[in-house]
Amino acid sequence: MDFQIGYVIAGLVVGFIVGMTGVGGGSLMTPILLYFGVSPANAVGTDLLYAAITKAGGIHVHHKKKNIDWKITGELALGSLPAAALTLWALHSIRMDTDTLNSIIKTTLGYALILTAIAILFKRRIFDYSKKNNSWITRMSRRGQMIATVVTGVILGAVVTITSIGAGALGTVALFMLYPLLPTVRLVGTEIAHAVPLTLVAGMGHAGLGNVDWHLLANLLIGSLPGIYLGSHLANRVADHYLRPALAIMLVFVGFKLLF
């Protein structure tokens, strides 16, 4: 394997931040790969498999602690997995040239980064508002709630497949709006359980399109796995209200740079 220290360090840093904050995987890794000169299509495809592998361990931990609502996970997947497959089919069928595809991915990526930054920055306020104003959700029938969850999955499936961003921050915020009465840790575990199959399906689809750099993926994982371990153990020692605004500001900056 071609060992490249720059990619290993990138994986270590991103893994460390994800371990501390719970967000930032795709929204940080994809822009970093673009900075290193990786094409947008390859950056997205490689990052999707990177996310699937790094988050897979989280499923085991959260399942043991009973932090996953498998019914909600299934409803999200009912929308997201077909949406991911259709998006991949569209990318393959259109047969656009590489420059056009990369341009579309960069533009969509820019908007996704800005939306993710907003979700990160106002996450606590959104959670508080959702819990204090849940009368509209309690009036929603279980059938209506299920339909809303599947639709949320469809949107996440398309966005994540094109940009590799959204499964974490946007997915968690959407779940909190739909299920404000469920404990936070249970919804976070549910989001992780949904993100793994979604990013795996989307990532394997991109691999079929030739959009995955396997040597790059291996280098990122060498750094990210110990990074997540270290970050998780230091999570309670670092002030979250400093980390999240800094992360959000950086994502907005990168998003505007991609768009303009």
Side-chain angles (χ1 to χ4, degrees):
M1 188 191 73
D2 183 16
F3 183 81
Q4 294 175 290
I5 191 64
Y7 294 135
V8 175
I9 293 174
L12 178 68
V13 171
V14 172
F16 185 73
I17 292 174
V18 172
M20 283 196 299
T21 67
V23 296
S27 54
L28 281 177
M29 184 55 75
T30 302
I32 288 174
L33 294 181
L34 294 178
Y35 174 79
F36 278 130
V38 179
S39 72
N42 273 1
V44 168
T46 304
D47 182 46
L48 283 166
L49 287 183
Y50 163 83
I53 295 170
T54 52
K55 285 189 174 184
I59 290 184
H60 175 68
V61 174
H62 281 288
H63 178 65
K64 282 183 66 176
K65 294 182 177 180
K66 298 182 178 180
N67 291 338
I68 299 175
D69 188 315
W70 289 107
K71 190 171 185 179
I72 296 175
T73 300
E75 291 168 359
L76 284 170
L78 188 62
S80 67
L81 298 185
L86 285 173
T87 303
L88 288 165
W89 174 81
L91 290 174
H92 175 70
S93 300
I94 293 174
R95 298 185 184 279
M96 64 185 69
D97 63 89
T98 303
D99 290 340
T100 303
L101 175 61
N102 285 336
S103 177
I104 290 173
I105 290 176
K106 281 182 70 175
T107 301
T108 311
L109 183 60
Y111 285 115
L113 283 172
I114 293 171
L115 283 174
T116 301
I118 294 171
I120 292 171
L121 195 59
F122 295 102
K123 190 175 182 180
R124 179 50 54 196
R125 292 185 182 180
I126 293 172
F127 293 172
D128 290 343
Y129 175 84
S130 180
K131 288 185 177 181
K132 292 177 182 176
N133 298 273
N134 56 39
S135 58
W136 68 276
I137 204 74
T138 56
R139 289 197 299 269
M140 183 183 288
S141 66
R142 176 64 192 118
R143 178 181 172 81
Q145 201 173 34
M146 181 192 73
I147 293 172
T149 304
V150 174
V151 170
T152 298
V154 170
I155 296 169
L156 288 175
V159 172
V160 170
T161 301
I162 296 174
T163 69
S164 79
I165 291 172
L170 296 180
T172 304
V173 169
L175 284 178
F176 268 93
M177 294 301 292
L178 286 171
Y179 302 95
L181 301 180
L182 287 183
T184 300
V185 68
R186 191 164 173 80
L187 288 183
V188 170
T190 301
E191 181 278 318
I192 291 175
H194 167 249
V196 171
L198 170 56
T199 52
L200 182 61
V201 168
M204 292 307 295
H206 274 278
L209 297 175
N211 295 338
V212 173
D213 186 325
W214 297 100
H215 291 300
L216 169 59
L217 175 62
N219 278 280
L220 294 175
L221 290 173
I222 289 172
S224 70
L225 297 179
I228 287 177
Y229 178 82
L230 292 171
S232 299
H233 282 75
L234 292 175
N236 295 329
R237 302 182 186 181
V238 181
D240 190 60
H241 60 274
Y242 291 127
L243 281 174
R244 287 186 184 273
L247 182 61
I249 291 169
M250 182 172 62
L251 295 182
V252 168
F253 173 77
V254 175
F256 273 104
K257 190 172 181 180
L258 287 173
L259 290 173
F260 307 106

